[in-house]
Amino acid sequence: MIKSSGAVRAFIQGIYQPYTGGGDFLVPPTERTVRLLAKVEALLKAERQLGRPWVDLERISGIMSFPAGYIDPELELIVGLQTDQPLKRMMNPYGGLRMVEDALSAYGYEMASQARDQMRYLRTHNAAVFSAYTDEMRRARSSGLLSGLPDAYGRGRIIGDYRRVALFGVDALMAEKAEDLKRLAAPIRREQVARQIEALQQLKAMAALYGKDISKPATTALEAVQSVYFAYLAGVKENNGAAMSLGRVATFLDIYIEADLAKGTLTESGAQELIDQLVIKLRLVRHLRTPEYDALFAGDPNWVTEALGGMGVDGRTLVTKTTYRFLHTLTTLGASPEPNMTVLWSKALPEPFKHYCAGLSITTSALQFENDDLMRPHYGDDYGIACCVSAMKLGEQMQFFGARCNLPKVLLYAINGGVDEVSGHCVLEGVPRIVPEDSPASGSEVAFVSPVALDDQQVAAAFFSLMERVARLYVETMNTIHTMHDRYAYEASLMALHDTQVSPLMAFGIAGLSIVADSLSALRYAKVYPVLKGDRVVDYVVEGEFPKYGNDDARVDDLAVEVVQRFSEALKRTPAYQGARHTLSVLTITSNVVYGKKTGATPDGRKAFQAFAPGANPLHGREDRGPLASMKSVAKIPYHGCAEDGISYTFSLVPSALGKGSESERQRLLAALIDGYFLQGGHHINVNILDQGILLEAMDNPEAYPNLTIRVSGYAVHFNKLTREQQLEVISRCYHQTML
Amino acid sequence: MLSSNHALDTGRIHTLESFSAVDGPGIRAMVFLQGCHLGCPYCHNKDTWSHTGGTEMTVTAVMDFIEGYRSFFELSGGGVTFSGGEPLLQGPFLLSLLKACREKGIHTALETSGHGIELCDDAKISAKALAKEIIEQVDLVILDVKRPGQPLEAAPVFIRQLAKSHQPVWLRYVELPSPLTAPERVATFGKSFSGLERIEPLAYHELLGTCSCATFIEV
């Protein structure tokens, strides 16, 4: 009888070969890969030209819902598709039937009648959640106070430990689950584990459709990669979670690859080919979404996040040659946002690896970096990252995803007595107004600027008090969602690859942190006059200067820290479903524009509907001291015991900002920037190095490219304050300088 | 006429910028001092010219800013660069800052035209002596050469002092459409500096409206 818990880590720690050299051993893709890639590229082009997703209208999602599908069996070394055709998406009604219907009608499709009949009697997660929601939860949701909730689509943020399938084979895993089942008494738990066993059976059968037997442990690198992929594939056939991350497979697979290389049954070319073929498959994952979902999560993302590198708790690096091989796919297959390559960065990582990553970052902007030194004491050395920034121990922990709370709206509701500043509807009842009812503007549609500035203490107190209430509402909403998700859209295939006694985390989030911090700062250090229309405050007039978040100024940075800490504490006061541990992220992914659109003007002077800054970034245009000052502000946000679900920071710069030195000097400089930021306590950094074309777009959409750093030597540039013409001129210098 | 700044502890600052990789080696914090008397027509920092603009700051406050980025300097072989405006116009204040950085082991670079220290001349310390001290305390001078054709004897006192020292020097010059900034001329000029490490041409640009460089070039 195996004991799978902790076994993968022990296997890795016992055998793996740390690699401290550089990337010179890497080789180009094989001819077979190049031809396969060409076919895939033709398919991707056809997908774009189709103008709408390709959907299977006959069948319903599931591990065994589709026969085997291929791109070209002559060229595919690693096999398996979500449906019977590459890029064809399936209908997954378990999250919500209406989502499927809305998506189909948005794209001009109608599902086949047999599918409609099957779905007609299905009770879905979405229907269940909405029947259980309180009126307040519904109002909070539709006003955007709580946003991105997984109540109509799969929650994601669960990473099966796919490596277990390669290490043990499905039969041993099923036997272990059967033993675990014998020891369980609670009916719901028994049913869950029974479903997990069923899923494992289906996984095995799915592999058999492709002529592969994964009942036993993998003995070759090819088998190991195939097993890991099949396990992941079952997950994305069964579920359509927003984030379906991969885990931390590179170092594990390296063990098999190194064994084959030593035996002489594999060459470096063949090793790279295995990884190339795996990554090609991962890039083909697709889910059917509605246009509203796409607006919130732009770009068809799946967050197939692979955590690369990092350090072991024993001090050896977990970087292996396969870590390099994964990153090398950005070269062999071209840059792509998927899989979401996330480098677990430590000061102690081998220098050649740091420079290799920095170099890839400079040429592709496709990497993100996270502070392993910060996470390792908390999560150990076998954690994966779900979505962008959310760590958890693989196979031992799972997340109950909770998207985010719009904190600026909490502030505005505190001022407006629970009334939404945009719609005028009462979202939270019984909240006292700050601005008196009987102002001269009552009943009038003319905007009236109050001669009385808002009282900073009064507003702050009201805000923190309302935040307590919203925190409770948020936890209760999440408890509702996850109870129903477990009942109606249980991720049996993913949970089958977790310990039976799994430890859950409930992942809450904050959107708009910089706006709240700046607003509280404006209220305290400047004078903020509310502008009333009818009976609510719709705008603010700010007089005087105030310190802004993102400039390493303790007066406002401390406010940001206080807000995060108090929100975290408030959340913890309401027990979470399954006794989950409350975690919190400061992350908005690409939704920062949408959140802004749903939020009226704020006391910091931000205009109504203006985009939020992403994650923990300062609002664009407010950084007066440059990106390192912003990094210092962001690094103050506490991770441990507080924002353990991640703190996201995005840094955009033009290539010439890294100096005119050699490529190696520029890599060193970027590596120093990352080292320095993490030394300050930063958690995550997304580095965008913008070519000229993107830079022009960045000027039009600064909220998408925050902390944009344009450096021209000797130039005291306040880029945002230049005219458009001047900006274009400066940009031309940046690229001119690069060419010198 | 501008009044020279004799203050040691306070000065006028235009901008504090936390990151530059193009103003000296490594990652650098930038301190842009306020005030410039030259009026170069191609200047891209025109809001640094005024002597009354900017913010008054103490040496302590500026050092607080600089020291916050120490770990970045150490990781990258960087430091702080004083620029502007023309930093030499606030010579004594600049010297205090340079001394404070030296004391704390922070690498310093000075971006200057080499002009303006004469305007700090007073009874306490001559311009020449002040120039000498500044050159001694700074680790790297990035000299923005305005008149490379000018013989050394006719150059301002700071440039003459720099030529006598062995401090590391980088020369920069704007490639005006004039024989005065022909690379050979600059190279010849550069031979005066024993510590010369590199010469960087800067492309000529007109940023804030049109200008005629002919109004600037004196034959």
Side-chain angles (χ1 to χ4, degrees):
Chain A
M1 180 59 45
I2 62 163
K3 184 178 173 305
S4 62
S5 180
V8 172
R9 181 189 174 272
F11 172 73
I12 292 172
Q13 286 292 318
I15 308 180
Y16 88 105
Q17 294 175 47
Y19 178 65
T20 55
D24 26 307
F25 71 93
L26 293 166
V27 299
T30 60
E31 156 112 35
R32 188 163 40 181
T33 298
V34 170
R35 286 166 59 204
L36 181 60
L37 188 62
K39 291 224 157 159
V40 169
E41 256 146 34
L43 290 167
L44 290 170
K45 188 165 173 203
E47 185 188 46
R48 282 192 297 271
Q49 281 170 347
L50 190 61
R52 59 179 184 173
W54 187 12
V55 186
D56 185 284
L57 299 165
E58 318 264 319
R59 292 163 278 211
I60 295 184
S61 60
I63 299 171
M64 285 298 287
S65 297
F66 290 87
Y70 297 89
I71 303 166
D72 182 341
E74 306 274 292
L75 302 176
E76 286 167 272
L77 213 51
I78 303 297
V79 297
L81 295 177
Q82 276 173 296
T83 61
D84 56 350
Q85 298 279 358
L87 303 176
K88 196 205 252 188
R89 307 180 197 216
M90 63 181 93
M91 300 184 290
N92 184 330
Y94 299 98
L97 184 50
R98 230 200 40 231
M99 284 282 281
V100 175
E101 288 170 343
D102 286 353
L104 292 179
S105 75
Y107 297 119
Y109 288 120
E110 210 180 296
M111 70 174 88
S113 57
Q114 90 221 28
R116 181 173 301 289
D117 288 341
Q118 282 181 283
M119 290 193 206
R120 191 196 306 271
Y121 303 106
L122 199 59
R123 178 112 179 118
T124 66
H125 162 64
N126 171 255
V129 173
F130 274 81
S131 68
Y133 266 165
T134 61
D135 287 340
E136 195 181 44
M137 290 173 185
R138 280 170 203 264
R139 291 194 304 265
R141 191 192 179 275
S142 60
S143 67
L145 176 64
L146 299 176
S147 193
L149 297 171
D151 53 16
Y153 65 94
R155 59 192 169 182
R157 293 278 199 101
I158 297 175
I159 306 175
D161 190 355
Y162 309 113
R163 306 166 301 182
R164 293 183 184 192
V165 175
L167 186 57
F168 291 118
V170 178
D171 283 353
L173 292 171
M174 280 198 293
E176 187 188 25
K177 284 290 179 183
E179 272 306 302
D180 288 348
L181 181 56
K182 288 186 191 158
R183 286 191 289 275
L184 287 174
I188 290 181
R189 294 289 288 126
R190 291 184 57 82
E191 199 235 354
Q192 285 178 341
V193 175
R195 290 179 70 168
Q196 291 174 19
I197 295 171
E198 260 178 56
L200 287 171
Q201 282 161 345
Q202 293 194 321
L203 168 59
K204 205 163 100 164
M206 180 197 86
L209 288 176
Y210 287 91
K212 307 285 183 189
D213 178 4
I214 56 171
S215 56
K216 301 283 172 286
T219 56
T220 65
L222 174 61
E223 284 174 5
V225 174
Q226 182 68 77
S227 286
V228 166
Y229 175 61
F230 271 147
Y232 178 79
L233 184 63
V236 294
K237 279 171 173 267
E238 184 192 53
N239 309 290
N240 65 351
M244 300 293 294
S245 303
L246 186 62
R248 197 163 171 174
V249 307
T251 293
F252 172 79
L253 291 174
D254 187 70
I255 294 171
Y256 294 87
I257 290 177
E258 286 300 308
D260 283 4
L261 286 170
K263 274 185 232 158
T265 51
L266 192 65
T267 60
E268 180 54 46
S269 198
Q272 186 63 49
E273 184 177 46
L274 286 175
I275 303 301
D276 286 347
Q277 292 249 350
L278 170 63
V279 169
I280 285 176
K281 285 294 191 300
L282 295 174
R283 291 182 182 186
L284 291 176
V285 174
R286 294 288 186 275
H287 290 294
L288 180 63
R289 309 288 193 200
T290 58
E292 292 72 43
Y293 178 99
D294 286 337
L296 200 58
F297 301 121
D300 233 347
N302 288 298
W303 290 292
V304 186
T305 308
E306 164 68 7
L308 293 158
M311 302 296 292
V313 299
D314 65 1
R316 294 179 297 161
T317 183
L318 284 161
V319 172
T320 61
K321 283 187 169 176
T322 302
T323 312
Y324 273 89
R325 291 173 185 124
F326 256 88
L327 290 164
H328 189 47
T329 60
L330 290 171
T331 306
T332 56
L333 308 175
S336 168
E338 302 282 8
N340 184 14
M341 309 253 210
T342 300
V343 179
L344 301 180
W345 186 279
S346 161
K347 185 93 192 351
L349 281 178
E351 292 296 301
F353 181 67
K354 285 185 180 178
H355 297 149
Y356 179 75
C357 291
L360 272 179
S361 203
I362 291 168
T363 51
T364 67
S365 294
L367 299 182
Q368 56 176 9
F369 302 92
E370 301 189 15
N371 192 345
D372 185 55
D373 295 333
L374 188 69
M375 291 186 281
R376 203 171 56 249
H378 200 76
Y379 291 105
D381 58 16
D382 194 42
Y383 63 87
I385 301 288
C387 188
C388 312
V389 297
S390 308
M392 63 184 153
K393 293 185 186 182
L394 292 165
E396 294 178 32
Q397 289 176 324
M398 52 135 357
Q399 294 174 14
F400 291 130
F401 171 56
R404 29 223 64 104
C405 173
N406 183 333
L407 276 192
K409 255 199 202 286
V410 176
L411 177 60
L412 297 179
Y413 285 11
I415 292 170
N416 274 319
V419 170
D420 190 84
E421 72 286 355
V422 179
S423 69
H425 298 145
C426 179
V427 175
L428 300 173
E429 285 166 358
V431 179
R433 289 164 54 92
I434 294 278
V435 176
E437 296 255 10
D438 58 353
S439 71
S442 280
S444 163
E445 277 312 299
V446 178
F448 163 76
V449 183
S450 168
V452 181
L454 288 170
D455 180 301
D456 138 62
Q457 307 237 24
Q458 189 191 13
V459 176
F463 167 69
F464 284 113
S465 164
L466 189 58
M467 194 176 75
E468 280 291 326
R469 176 175 163 175
V470 172
R472 194 175 73 235
L473 173 64
Y474 193 7
V475 181
E476 288 168 354
T477 305
M478 290 270 275
N479 288 345
T480 308
I481 290 170
H482 291 287
T483 301
M484 298 312 169
H485 207 298
D486 272 355
R487 279 165 82 107
Y488 297 101
Y490 182 65
E491 299 92 338
S493 73
L494 299 179
M495 297 316 296
L497 300 174
H498 281 72
D499 299 350
T500 297
Q501 295 304 333
V502 75
S503 183
L505 307 168
M506 189 170 272
F508 300 92
I510 290 177
L513 178 64
S514 68
I515 291 162
V516 174
D518 286 350
S519 293
L520 293 174
S521 174
L523 287 161
R524 186 180 288 186
Y525 297 104
K527 284 207 178 322
V528 181
Y529 298 92
V531 178
L532 291 121
K533 208 169 182 195
D535 57 359
R536 62 183 192 277
V537 182
V538 295
D539 203 351
Y540 301 87
V541 173
V542 184
E543 247 175 45
E545 296 294 315
F546 59 97
K548 292 167 188 141
Y549 170 77
N551 296 297
D552 191 24
D553 188 327
R555 292 174 297 167
V556 60
D557 292 352
D558 285 355
L559 290 170
V561 170
E562 187 186 355
V563 167
V564 176
Q565 273 173 339
R566 289 178 74 165
F567 192 52
S568 171
E569 284 160 21
L571 289 164
K572 289 173 185 177
R573 284 193 254 280
T574 304
Y577 174 61
Q578 298 290 318
R581 180 190 168 95
H582 302 68
T583 61
L584 179 61
S585 64
V586 188
L587 169 74
T588 53
I589 21 181
T590 43
S591 316
N592 54 307
V593 176
V594 171
Y595 294 133
K597 287 209 172 98
K598 281 201 91 140
T599 310
T602 39
D604 59 342
R606 174 190 147 274
K607 289 296 142 209
F609 317 125
Q610 191 185 321
F612 285 8
N617 275 71
L619 196 61
H620 73 270
R622 293 194 181 168
E623 326 98 56
D624 291 324
R625 294 266 172 107
L628 301 193
S630 295
M631 284 183 186
K632 291 186 78 184
S633 291
V634 175
K636 290 175 193 170
I637 303 197
Y639 185 82
H640 291 298
C642 191
E644 287 167 352
D645 195 51
I647 300 160
S648 172
Y649 173 66
T650 300
F651 177 37
S652 310
L653 60 165
V654 298
S656 62
L658 288 174
K660 296 187 235 182
S662 66
E663 204 179 294
S664 141
E665 280 166 358
R666 288 147 59 80
Q667 289 168 4
R668 233 179 285 266
L669 208 118
L670 180 56
L673 277 172
I674 299 169
D675 271 334
Y677 175 52
F678 287 164
L679 251 161
Q680 305 273 352
H683 174 243
H684 159 274
I685 179 169
N686 208 358
V687 180
N688 292 330
I689 307 227
L690 313 181
D691 68 36
Q692 193 159 3
I694 299 183
L695 185 53
L696 294 170
E697 188 199 308
M699 285 160 55
D700 288 330
N701 303 293
E703 62 275 352
Y705 298 93
N707 254 105
L708 180 55
T709 299
I710 309 242
R711 288 292 320 145
V712 177
S713 54
Y715 186 50
V717 60
H718 289 287
F719 193 69
N720 291 308
K721 299 186 178 129
L722 299 177
T723 65
R724 172 63 175 224
E725 217 170 44
Q726 293 167 343
Q727 288 179 334
L728 288 168
E729 207 284 331
V730 171
I731 284 169
S732 71
R733 298 185 189 212
C734 299
Y735 292 96
H736 181 100
Q737 287 200 337
T738 315
M739 294 186 304
L740 276 173
Chain B
M1 195 55 217
L2 62 95
S3 60
S4 51
N5 186 346
H6 297 285
L8 290 169
D9 301 319
T10 60
R12 298 202 77 82
I13 302 288
H14 174 267
T15 299
L16 296 175
E17 165 63 56
S18 56
F19 170 70
S20 173
V22 295
D23 293 288
I27 293 171
R28 308 194 74 79
M30 302 293 299
V31 178
F32 291 92
L33 278 79
Q34 185 71 30
C36 186
H37 60 303
L38 292 179
C40 305
Y42 50 77
C43 179
H44 56 201
N45 283 344
K46 278 204 174 125
D47 49 336
T48 62
W49 292 6
S50 150
H51 300 279
T52 52
T55 316
E56 192 164 293
M57 288 187 77
T58 61
V59 168
T60 312
V62 177
M63 290 309 297
D64 272 344
F65 166 75
I66 293 169
E67 283 188 278
Y69 302 100
R70 221 201 164 98
S71 50
F72 289 100
F73 306 154
E74 280 163 15
L75 288 162
S76 66
V80 60
T81 298
F82 296 97
S83 181
E86 175 46 70
L88 293 181
L89 290 176
Q90 297 186 62
F93 176 58
L94 173 66
L95 182 60
S96 303
L97 287 167
L98 292 171
K99 282 184 175 164
C101 288
R102 178 63 62 81
E103 214 172 301
K104 304 206 188 231
I106 295 175
H107 182 279
T108 53
L110 172 64
E111 276 178 351
T112 174
S113 65
H115 295 248
I117 206 157
E118 307 80 4
L119 299 165
C120 297
D121 199 348
D122 74 359
K124 288 186 219 121
I125 178 170
S126 72
K128 180 171 162 184
L130 183 56
K132 222 171 150 221
E133 274 215 72
I134 287 172
I135 289 164
E136 221 157 277
Q137 290 293 333
V138 77
D139 295 309
L140 166 67
V141 176
I142 301 175
L143 189 66
D144 191 353
V145 185
K146 301 295 177 184
R147 297 186 187 138
Q150 191 179 49
L152 196 57
E153 311 83 70
V157 61
F158 182 88
I159 294 181
R160 292 200 311 271
Q161 281 304 313
L162 188 61
K164 288 192 192 146
S165 80
H166 302 291
Q167 290 292 57
V169 174
W170 295 3
L171 286 191
R172 283 202 179 138
Y173 66 99
V174 175
E175 288 170 311
L176 297 171
S178 149
L180 288 170
T181 55
E184 313 81 60
R185 261 207 140 112
V186 178
T188 309
F189 180 74
K191 290 201 170 82
S192 316
F193 307 97
S194 62
L196 182 69
E197 288 180 355
R198 61 167 85 171
I199 298 181
E200 283 178 359
L202 301 173
Y204 171 65
H205 289 274
E206 296 175 20
L207 176 64
L208 299 167
T210 57
C211 81
S212 168
C213 56
T215 62
F216 176 71
I217 297 167
E218 298 158 14
V219 182

